[in-house]
PDB file of all heavy atoms in Angstrom:
ATOM      1  N   LYS H   5      -5.638   2.151  -8.195  1.00 98.00           N
ATOM      2  CA  LYS H   5      -5.976   0.757  -7.837  1.00 98.00           C
ATOM      3  C   LYS H   5      -5.767   0.499  -6.341  1.00 98.00           C
ATOM      4  O   LYS H   5      -5.977  -0.643  -5.883  1.00 98.00           O
ATOM      5  CB  LYS H   5      -5.089  -0.211  -8.647  1.00 98.00           C
ATOM      6  CG  LYS H   5      -5.211  -0.077 -10.157  1.00 98.00           C
ATOM      7  CD  LYS H   5      -6.453  -0.745 -10.653  1.00 98.00           C
ATOM      8  CE  LYS H   5      -6.473  -0.850 -12.163  1.00 98.00           C
ATOM      9  NZ  LYS H   5      -7.709  -1.498 -12.652  1.00 98.00           N
ATOM     10  N   TYR H   6      -5.342   1.516  -5.613  1.00 98.00           N
ATOM     11  CA  TYR H   6      -4.987   1.319  -4.203  1.00 98.00           C
ATOM     12  C   TYR H   6      -6.189   0.861  -3.373  1.00 98.00           C
ATOM     13  O   TYR H   6      -6.096  -0.055  -2.556  1.00 98.00           O
ATOM     14  CB  TYR H   6      -4.402   2.620  -3.623  1.00 98.00           C
ATOM     15  CG  TYR H   6      -3.678   2.464  -2.300  1.00 98.00           C
ATOM     16  CD1 TYR H   6      -2.287   2.390  -2.267  1.00 98.00           C
ATOM     17  CD2 TYR H   6      -4.375   2.401  -1.093  1.00 98.00           C
ATOM     18  CE1 TYR H   6      -1.614   2.267  -1.059  1.00 98.00           C
ATOM     19  CE2 TYR H   6      -3.716   2.284   0.104  1.00 98.00           C
ATOM     20  CZ  TYR H   6      -2.332   2.207   0.133  1.00 98.00           C
ATOM     21  OH  TYR H   6      -1.677   2.085   1.335  1.00 98.00           O
ATOM     22  N   HIS H   7      -7.328   1.505  -3.611  1.00 98.00           N
ATOM     23  CA  HIS H   7      -8.529   1.176  -2.825  1.00 98.00           C
ATOM     24  C   HIS H   7      -8.907  -0.291  -2.981  1.00 98.00           C
ATOM     25  O   HIS H   7      -9.079  -1.007  -1.991  1.00 98.00           O
ATOM     26  CB  HIS H   7      -9.700   2.080  -3.239  1.00 98.00           C
ATOM     27  CG  HIS H   7     -10.963   1.782  -2.511  1.00 98.00           C
ATOM     28  ND1 HIS H   7     -12.141   1.493  -3.152  1.00 98.00           N
ATOM     29  CD2 HIS H   7     -11.239   1.722  -1.186  1.00 98.00           C
ATOM     30  CE1 HIS H   7     -13.087   1.267  -2.255  1.00 98.00           C
ATOM     31  NE2 HIS H   7     -12.576   1.391  -1.052  1.00 98.00           N
ATOM     32  N   GLU H   8      -8.989  -0.761  -4.212  1.00 98.00           N
ATOM     33  CA  GLU H   8      -9.408  -2.145  -4.439  1.00 98.00           C
ATOM     34  C   GLU H   8      -8.327  -3.139  -4.015  1.00 98.00           C
ATOM     35  O   GLU H   8      -8.637  -4.304  -3.731  1.00 98.00           O
ATOM     36  CB  GLU H   8      -9.766  -2.366  -5.909  1.00 98.00           C
ATOM     37  CG  GLU H   8      -8.588  -2.273  -6.873  1.00 98.00           C
ATOM     38  CD  GLU H   8      -8.981  -2.443  -8.315  1.00 98.00           C
ATOM     39  OE1 GLU H   8      -9.679  -1.577  -8.868  1.00 98.00           O
ATOM     40  OE2 GLU H   8      -8.587  -3.450  -8.923  1.00 98.00           O
ATOM     41  N   SER H   9      -7.075  -2.699  -3.970  1.00 98.00           N
ATOM     42  CA  SER H   9      -5.962  -3.594  -3.665  1.00 98.00           C
ATOM     43  C   SER H   9      -5.678  -3.701  -2.171  1.00 98.00           C
ATOM     44  O   SER H   9      -5.440  -4.801  -1.656  1.00 98.00           O
ATOM     45  CB  SER H   9      -4.674  -3.091  -4.354  1.00 98.00           C
ATOM     46  OG  SER H   9      -4.861  -2.959  -5.746  1.00 98.00           O
ATOM     47  N   PHE H  10      -5.691  -2.581  -1.494  1.00 98.00           N
ATOM     48  CA  PHE H  10      -5.136  -2.478  -0.136  1.00 98.00           C
ATOM     49  C   PHE H  10      -6.209  -2.342   0.937  1.00 98.00           C
ATOM     50  O   PHE H  10      -6.042  -2.858   2.049  1.00 98.00           O
ATOM     51  CB  PHE H  10      -4.212  -1.250  -0.090  1.00 98.00           C
ATOM     52  CG  PHE H  10      -3.220  -1.210   1.039  1.00 98.00           C
ATOM     53  CD1 PHE H  10      -1.913  -1.612   0.836  1.00 98.00           C
ATOM     54  CD2 PHE H  10      -3.585  -0.757   2.293  1.00 98.00           C
ATOM     55  CE1 PHE H  10      -0.969  -1.568   1.882  1.00 98.00           C
ATOM     56  CE2 PHE H  10      -2.673  -0.696   3.330  1.00 98.00           C
ATOM     57  CZ  PHE H  10      -1.360  -1.102   3.130  1.00 98.00           C
ATOM     58  N   CYS H  11      -7.284  -1.634   0.604  1.00 98.00           N
ATOM     59  CA  CYS H  11      -8.234  -1.249   1.678  1.00 98.00           C
ATOM     60  C   CYS H  11      -9.653  -1.185   1.147  1.00 98.00           C
ATOM     61  O   CYS H  11     -10.354  -0.179   1.354  1.00 98.00           O
ATOM     62  CB  CYS H  11      -7.805   0.100   2.269  1.00 98.00           C
ATOM     63  SG  CYS H  11      -7.634   1.428   1.037  1.00 98.00           S
ATOM     64  N   GLN H  12     -10.106  -2.255   0.515  1.00 98.00           N
ATOM     65  CA  GLN H  12     -11.432  -2.259  -0.117  1.00 98.00           C
ATOM     66  C   GLN H  12     -12.570  -2.140   0.899  1.00 98.00           C
ATOM     67  O   GLN H  12     -13.708  -1.873   0.512  1.00 98.00           O
ATOM     68  CB  GLN H  12     -11.610  -3.505  -0.982  1.00 98.00           C
ATOM     69  CG  GLN H  12     -11.795  -4.829  -0.236  1.00 98.00           C
ATOM     70  CD  GLN H  12     -10.483  -5.528   0.095  1.00 98.00           C
ATOM     71  OE1 GLN H  12      -9.429  -4.928   0.052  1.00 98.00           O
ATOM     72  NE2 GLN H  12     -10.572  -6.807   0.434  1.00 98.00           N
ATOM     73  N   ASP H  13     -12.296  -2.332   2.181  1.00 98.00           N
ATOM     74  CA  ASP H  13     -13.333  -2.173   3.203  1.00 98.00           C
ATOM     75  C   ASP H  13     -13.345  -0.776   3.817  1.00 98.00           C
ATOM     76  O   ASP H  13     -14.066  -0.534   4.781  1.00 98.00           O
ATOM     77  CB  ASP H  13     -13.219  -3.244   4.291  1.00 98.00           C
ATOM     78  CG  ASP H  13     -11.820  -3.388   4.859  1.00 98.00           C
ATOM     79  OD1 ASP H  13     -10.896  -2.675   4.401  1.00 98.00           O
ATOM     80  OD2 ASP H  13     -11.635  -4.242   5.754  1.00 98.00           O
ATOM     81  N   LEU H  14     -12.582   0.149   3.268  1.00 98.00           N
ATOM     82  CA  LEU H  14     -12.711   1.557   3.589  1.00 98.00           C
ATOM     83  C   LEU H  14     -13.457   2.251   2.457  1.00 98.00           C
ATOM     84  O   LEU H  14     -13.711   1.643   1.423  1.00 98.00           O
ATOM     85  CB  LEU H  14     -11.332   2.197   3.770  1.00 98.00           C
ATOM     86  CG  LEU H  14     -10.441   1.642   4.883  1.00 98.00           C
ATOM     87  CD1 LEU H  14      -9.085   2.342   4.879  1.00 98.00           C
ATOM     88  CD2 LEU H  14     -11.107   1.804   6.252  1.00 98.00           C
ATOM     89  N   SER H  15     -13.798   3.523   2.634  1.00 98.00           N
ATOM     90  CA  SER H  15     -14.487   4.239   1.568  1.00 98.00           C
ATOM     91  C   SER H  15     -13.540   4.473   0.392  1.00 98.00           C
ATOM     92  O   SER H  15     -12.306   4.478   0.556  1.00 98.00           O
ATOM     93  CB  SER H  15     -15.000   5.599   2.081  1.00 98.00           C
ATOM     94  OG  SER H  15     -13.915   6.487   2.292  1.00 98.00           O
ATOM     95  N   ALA H  16     -14.111   4.660  -0.787  1.00 97.00           N
ATOM     96  CA  ALA H  16     -13.303   4.912  -1.979  1.00 97.00           C
ATOM     97  C   ALA H  16     -12.479   6.189  -1.806  1.00 97.00           C
ATOM     98  O   ALA H  16     -11.330   6.267  -2.266  1.00 97.00           O
ATOM     99  CB  ALA H  16     -14.218   5.036  -3.197  1.00 97.00           C
ATOM    100  N   GLU H  17     -13.044   7.180  -1.124  1.00 97.00           N
ATOM    101  CA  GLU H  17     -12.330   8.434  -0.879  1.00 97.00           C
ATOM    102  C   GLU H  17     -11.098   8.202   0.004  1.00 97.00           C
ATOM    103  O   GLU H  17     -10.005   8.672  -0.284  1.00 97.00           O
ATOM    104  CB  GLU H  17     -13.283   9.434  -0.222  1.00 97.00           C
ATOM    105  CG  GLU H  17     -12.767  10.846  -0.165  1.00 97.00           C
ATOM    106  CD  GLU H  17     -13.826  11.804   0.337  1.00 97.00           C
ATOM    107  OE1 GLU H  17     -14.293  11.623   1.493  1.00 97.00           O
ATOM    108  OE2 GLU H  17     -14.224  12.719  -0.417  1.00 97.00           O
ATOM    109  N   GLU H  18     -11.296   7.432   1.097  1.00 97.00           N
ATOM    110  CA  GLU H  18     -10.162   7.096   1.976  1.00 97.00           C
ATOM    111  C   GLU H  18      -9.095   6.328   1.206  1.00 97.00           C
ATOM    112  O   GLU H  18      -7.891   6.556   1.380  1.00 97.00           O
ATOM    113  CB  GLU H  18     -10.639   6.264   3.173  1.00 97.00           C
ATOM    114  CG  GLU H  18     -11.403   7.026   4.230  1.00 97.00           C
ATOM    115  CD  GLU H  18     -11.904   6.107   5.324  1.00 97.00           C
ATOM    116  OE1 GLU H  18     -12.769   5.252   5.030  1.00 97.00           O
ATOM    117  OE2 GLU H  18     -11.430   6.216   6.468  1.00 97.00           O
ATOM    118  N   GLY H  19      -9.542   5.402   0.380  1.00 97.00           N
ATOM    119  CA  GLY H  19      -8.612   4.604  -0.405  1.00 97.00           C
ATOM    120  C   GLY H  19      -7.786   5.439  -1.355  1.00 97.00           C
ATOM    121  O   GLY H  19      -6.583   5.219  -1.519  1.00 97.00           O
ATOM    122  N   LEU H  20      -8.435   6.433  -1.982  1.00 96.00           N
ATOM    123  CA  LEU H  20      -7.710   7.294  -2.911  1.00 96.00           C
ATOM    124  C   LEU H  20      -6.680   8.156  -2.172  1.00 96.00           C
ATOM    125  O   LEU H  20      -5.540   8.311  -2.636  1.00 96.00           O
ATOM    126  CB  LEU H  20      -8.686   8.188  -3.680  1.00 96.00           C
ATOM    127  CG  LEU H  20      -8.047   9.101  -4.726  1.00 96.00           C
ATOM    128  CD1 LEU H  20      -7.257   8.300  -5.770  1.00 96.00           C
ATOM    129  CD2 LEU H  20      -9.091   9.976  -5.410  1.00 96.00           C
ATOM    130  N   VAL H  21      -7.067   8.694  -1.017  1.00 97.00           N
ATOM    131  CA  VAL H  21      -6.118   9.479  -0.225  1.00 97.00           C
ATOM    132  C   VAL H  21      -4.923   8.624   0.197  1.00 97.00           C
ATOM    133  O   VAL H  21      -3.755   9.047   0.085  1.00 97.00           O
ATOM    134  CB  VAL H  21      -6.813  10.095   1.028  1.00 97.00           C
ATOM    135  CG1 VAL H  21      -5.784  10.733   1.945  1.00 97.00           C
ATOM    136  CG2 VAL H  21      -7.837  11.133   0.595  1.00 97.00           C
ATOM    137  N   MET H  22      -5.194   7.408   0.666  1.00 97.00           N
ATOM    138  CA  MET H  22      -4.101   6.508   1.060  1.00 97.00           C
ATOM    139  C   MET H  22      -3.216   6.174  -0.125  1.00 97.00           C
ATOM    140  O   MET H  22      -1.979   6.078  -0.005  1.00 97.00           O
ATOM    141  CB  MET H  22      -4.665   5.239   1.696  1.00 97.00           C
ATOM    142  CG  MET H  22      -5.242   5.464   3.090  1.00 97.00           C
ATOM    143  SD  MET H  22      -6.097   4.007   3.762  1.00 97.00           S
ATOM    144  CE  MET H  22      -4.704   2.951   4.168  1.00 97.00           C
ATOM    145  N   GLY H  23      -3.824   6.028  -1.306  1.00 97.00           N
ATOM    146  CA  GLY H  23      -3.057   5.724  -2.496  1.00 97.00           C
ATOM    147  C   GLY H  23      -2.171   6.874  -2.939  1.00 97.00           C
ATOM    148  O   GLY H  23      -1.033   6.686  -3.380  1.00 97.00           O
ATOM    149  N   LEU H  24      -2.684   8.097  -2.794  1.00 97.00           N
ATOM    150  CA  LEU H  24      -1.930   9.277  -3.199  1.00 97.00           C
ATOM    151  C   LEU H  24      -0.825   9.619  -2.199  1.00 97.00           C
ATOM    152  O   LEU H  24       0.152  10.260  -2.574  1.00 97.00           O
ATOM    153  CB  LEU H  24      -2.869  10.483  -3.364  1.00 97.00           C
ATOM    154  CG  LEU H  24      -3.854  10.380  -4.522  1.00 97.00           C
ATOM    155  CD1 LEU H  24      -4.865  11.521  -4.474  1.00 97.00           C
ATOM    156  CD2 LEU H  24      -3.144  10.355  -5.866  1.00 97.00           C
ATOM    157  N   THR H  25      -0.982   9.214  -0.951  1.00 97.00           N
ATOM    158  CA  THR H  25       0.012   9.530   0.088  1.00 97.00           C
ATOM    159  C   THR H  25       0.876   8.327   0.457  1.00 97.00           C
ATOM    160  O   THR H  25       1.611   8.371   1.437  1.00 97.00           O
ATOM    161  CB  THR H  25      -0.682  10.051   1.359  1.00 97.00           C
ATOM    162  OG1 THR H  25      -1.584   9.056   1.861  1.00 97.00           O
ATOM    163  CG2 THR H  25      -1.461  11.334   1.088  1.00 97.00           C
ATOM    164  N   GLN H  26       0.807   7.262  -0.335  1.00 98.00           N
ATOM    165  CA  GLN H  26       1.532   6.041  -0.015  1.00 98.00           C
ATOM    166  C   GLN H  26       3.041   6.278   0.030  1.00 98.00           C
ATOM    167  O   GLN H  26       3.582   7.166  -0.613  1.00 98.00           O
ATOM    168  CB  GLN H  26       1.225   4.942  -1.021  1.00 98.00           C
ATOM    169  CG  GLN H  26       1.751   5.203  -2.416  1.00 98.00           C
ATOM    170  CD  GLN H  26       1.386   4.110  -3.414  1.00 98.00           C
ATOM    171  OE1 GLN H  26       1.965   3.027  -3.416  1.00 98.00           O
ATOM    172  NE2 GLN H  26       0.394   4.378  -4.269  1.00 98.00           N
ATOM    173  N   LYS H  27       3.711   5.439   0.811  1.00 97.00           N
ATOM    174  CA  LYS H  27       5.176   5.501   0.899  1.00 97.00           C
ATOM    175  C   LYS H  27       5.721   4.256   0.224  1.00 97.00           C
ATOM    176  O   LYS H  27       5.598   3.138   0.723  1.00 97.00           O
ATOM    177  CB  LYS H  27       5.603   5.553   2.374  1.00 97.00           C
ATOM    178  CG  LYS H  27       7.103   5.698   2.582  1.00 97.00           C
ATOM    179  CD  LYS H  27       7.417   5.928   4.057  1.00 97.00           C
ATOM    180  CE  LYS H  27       8.907   6.187   4.238  1.00 97.00           C
ATOM    181  NZ  LYS H  27       9.228   6.491   5.649  1.00 97.00           N
ATOM    182  N   ALA H  28       6.303   4.439  -0.943  1.00 98.00           N
ATOM    183  CA  ALA H  28       6.760   3.299  -1.733  1.00 98.00           C
ATOM    184  C   ALA H  28       8.111   2.800  -1.244  1.00 98.00           C
ATOM    185  O   ALA H  28       8.986   3.597  -0.901  1.00 98.00           O
ATOM    186  CB  ALA H  28       6.861   3.687  -3.198  1.00 98.00           C
ATOM    187  N   PRO H  29       8.307   1.487  -1.194  1.00 98.00           N
ATOM    188  CA  PRO H  29       9.606   0.923  -0.836  1.00 98.00           C
ATOM    189  C   PRO H  29      10.508   0.789  -2.063  1.00 98.00           C
ATOM    190  O   PRO H  29      10.027   0.768  -3.206  1.00 98.00           O
ATOM    191  CB  PRO H  29       9.247  -0.476  -0.320  1.00 98.00           C
ATOM    192  CG  PRO H  29       8.064  -0.861  -1.197  1.00 98.00           C
ATOM    193  CD  PRO H  29       7.297   0.422  -1.416  1.00 98.00           C
ATOM    194  N   LEU H  30      11.789   0.715  -1.810  1.00 98.00           N
ATOM    195  CA  LEU H  30      12.684   0.234  -2.867  1.00 98.00           C
ATOM    196  C   LEU H  30      12.309  -1.216  -3.160  1.00 98.00           C
ATOM    197  O   LEU H  30      12.205  -2.031  -2.237  1.00 98.00           O
ATOM    198  CB  LEU H  30      14.148   0.328  -2.435  1.00 98.00           C
ATOM    199  CG  LEU H  30      14.798   1.714  -2.544  1.00 98.00           C
ATOM    200  CD1 LEU H  30      16.206   1.664  -1.973  1.00 98.00           C
ATOM    201  CD2 LEU H  30      14.833   2.199  -3.992  1.00 98.00           C
ATOM    202  N   ALA H  31      12.098  -1.540  -4.414  1.00 97.00           N
ATOM    203  CA  ALA H  31      11.631  -2.880  -4.778  1.00 97.00           C
ATOM    204  C   ALA H  31      12.586  -3.970  -4.291  1.00 97.00           C
ATOM    205  O   ALA H  31      12.151  -5.086  -3.948  1.00 97.00           O
ATOM    206  CB  ALA H  31      11.460  -2.971  -6.292  1.00 97.00           C
ATOM    207  N   SER H  32      13.863  -3.654  -4.219  1.00 98.00           N
ATOM    208  CA  SER H  32      14.856  -4.642  -3.780  1.00 98.00           C
ATOM    209  C   SER H  32      14.624  -5.122  -2.357  1.00 98.00           C
ATOM    210  O   SER H  32      15.033  -6.236  -1.993  1.00 98.00           O
ATOM    211  CB  SER H  32      16.262  -4.060  -3.898  1.00 98.00           C
ATOM    212  OG  SER H  32      16.376  -2.855  -3.166  1.00 98.00           O
ATOM    213  N   THR H  33      13.936  -4.309  -1.553  1.00 97.00           N
ATOM    214  CA  THR H  33      13.657  -4.679  -0.151  1.00 97.00           C
ATOM    215  C   THR H  33      12.849  -5.973  -0.073  1.00 97.00           C
ATOM    216  O   THR H  33      12.970  -6.736   0.894  1.00 97.00           O
ATOM    217  CB  THR H  33      12.923  -3.522   0.546  1.00 97.00           C
ATOM    218  OG1 THR H  33      13.653  -2.323   0.362  1.00 97.00           O
ATOM    219  CG2 THR H  33      12.778  -3.770   2.026  1.00 97.00           C
ATOM    220  N   PHE H  34      12.018  -6.207  -1.083  1.00 96.00           N
ATOM    221  CA  PHE H  34      11.193  -7.421  -1.108  1.00 96.00           C
ATOM    222  C   PHE H  34      12.032  -8.691  -1.029  1.00 96.00           C
ATOM    223  O   PHE H  34      11.593  -9.698  -0.511  1.00 96.00           O
ATOM    224  CB  PHE H  34      10.396  -7.456  -2.421  1.00 96.00           C
ATOM    225  CG  PHE H  34       8.937  -7.212  -2.261  1.00 96.00           C
ATOM    226  CD1 PHE H  34       8.329  -6.110  -2.852  1.00 96.00           C
ATOM    227  CD2 PHE H  34       8.148  -8.084  -1.541  1.00 96.00           C
ATOM    228  CE1 PHE H  34       6.965  -5.892  -2.732  1.00 96.00           C
ATOM    229  CE2 PHE H  34       6.782  -7.876  -1.402  1.00 96.00           C
ATOM    230  CZ  PHE H  34       6.197  -6.770  -2.000  1.00 96.00           C
ATOM    231  N   GLY H  35      13.254  -8.633  -1.552  1.00 97.00           N
ATOM    232  CA  GLY H  35      14.093  -9.826  -1.611  1.00 97.00           C
ATOM    233  C   GLY H  35      15.016  -9.992  -0.428  1.00 97.00           C
ATOM    234  O   GLY H  35      15.751 -10.989  -0.360  1.00 97.00           O
ATOM    235  N   ASP H  36      14.978  -9.051   0.526  1.00 98.00           N
ATOM    236  CA  ASP H  36      15.890  -9.141   1.694  1.00 98.00           C
ATOM    237  C   ASP H  36      15.429 -10.257   2.622  1.00 98.00           C
ATOM    238  O   ASP H  36      14.235 -10.352   2.956  1.00 98.00           O
ATOM    239  CB  ASP H  36      15.920  -7.801   2.440  1.00 98.00           C
ATOM    240  CG  ASP H  36      16.606  -6.702   1.648  1.00 98.00           C
ATOM    241  OD1 ASP H  36      17.282  -7.019   0.656  1.00 98.00           O
ATOM    242  OD2 ASP H  36      16.448  -5.528   2.026  1.00 98.00           O
ATOM    243  N   THR H  37      16.379 -11.077   3.069  1.00 98.00           N
ATOM    244  CA  THR H  37      16.040 -12.266   3.861  1.00 98.00           C
ATOM    245  C   THR H  37      16.296 -12.078   5.355  1.00 98.00           C
ATOM    246  O   THR H  37      17.153 -11.308   5.758  1.00 98.00           O
ATOM    247  CB  THR H  37      16.831 -13.484   3.369  1.00 98.00           C
ATOM    248  OG1 THR H  37      18.236 -13.175   3.405  1.00 98.00           O
ATOM    249  CG2 THR H  37      16.450 -13.860   1.947  1.00 98.00           C
ATOM    250  N   ILE H  38      15.539 -12.825   6.130  1.00 98.00           N
ATOM    251  CA  ILE H  38      15.682 -12.841   7.584  1.00 98.00           C
ATOM    252  C   ILE H  38      16.893 -13.706   7.963  1.00 98.00           C
ATOM    253  O   ILE H  38      17.153 -14.738   7.331  1.00 98.00           O
ATOM    254  CB  ILE H  38      14.406 -13.426   8.228  1.00 98.00           C
ATOM    255  CG1 ILE H  38      13.190 -12.541   7.930  1.00 98.00           C
ATOM    256  CG2 ILE H  38      14.588 -13.643   9.730  1.00 98.00           C
ATOM    257  CD1 ILE H  38      13.220 -11.174   8.564  1.00 98.00           C
ATOM    258  N   THR H  39      17.624 -13.281   8.985  1.00 97.00           N
ATOM    259  CA  THR H  39      18.745 -14.089   9.481  1.00 97.00           C
ATOM    260  C   THR H  39      18.323 -14.946  10.673  1.00 97.00           C
ATOM    261  O   THR H  39      18.310 -16.173  10.588  1.00 97.00           O
ATOM    262  CB  THR H  39      19.936 -13.187   9.833  1.00 97.00           C
ATOM    263  OG1 THR H  39      19.512 -12.135  10.711  1.00 97.00           O
ATOM    264  CG2 THR H  39      20.523 -12.566   8.572  1.00 97.00           C
ATOM    265  N   ALA H  40      17.947 -14.293  11.784  1.00 95.00           N
ATOM    266  CA  ALA H  40      17.540 -15.044  12.971  1.00 95.00           C
ATOM    267  C   ALA H  40      16.159 -14.578  13.410  1.00 95.00           C
ATOM    268  O   ALA H  40      16.002 -13.490  13.963  1.00 95.00           O
ATOM    269  CB  ALA H  40      18.533 -14.831  14.103  1.00 95.00           C
TER     270      ALA H  40
END
């Protein structure tokens, strides 16, 4: 689903490569807040 989600204006092939080589974050990082 990476191509349609992240980079639908690139080729489907590029999207698949980006999806297979993606660097996943720890989900908890999403909740980290800014201080200043």
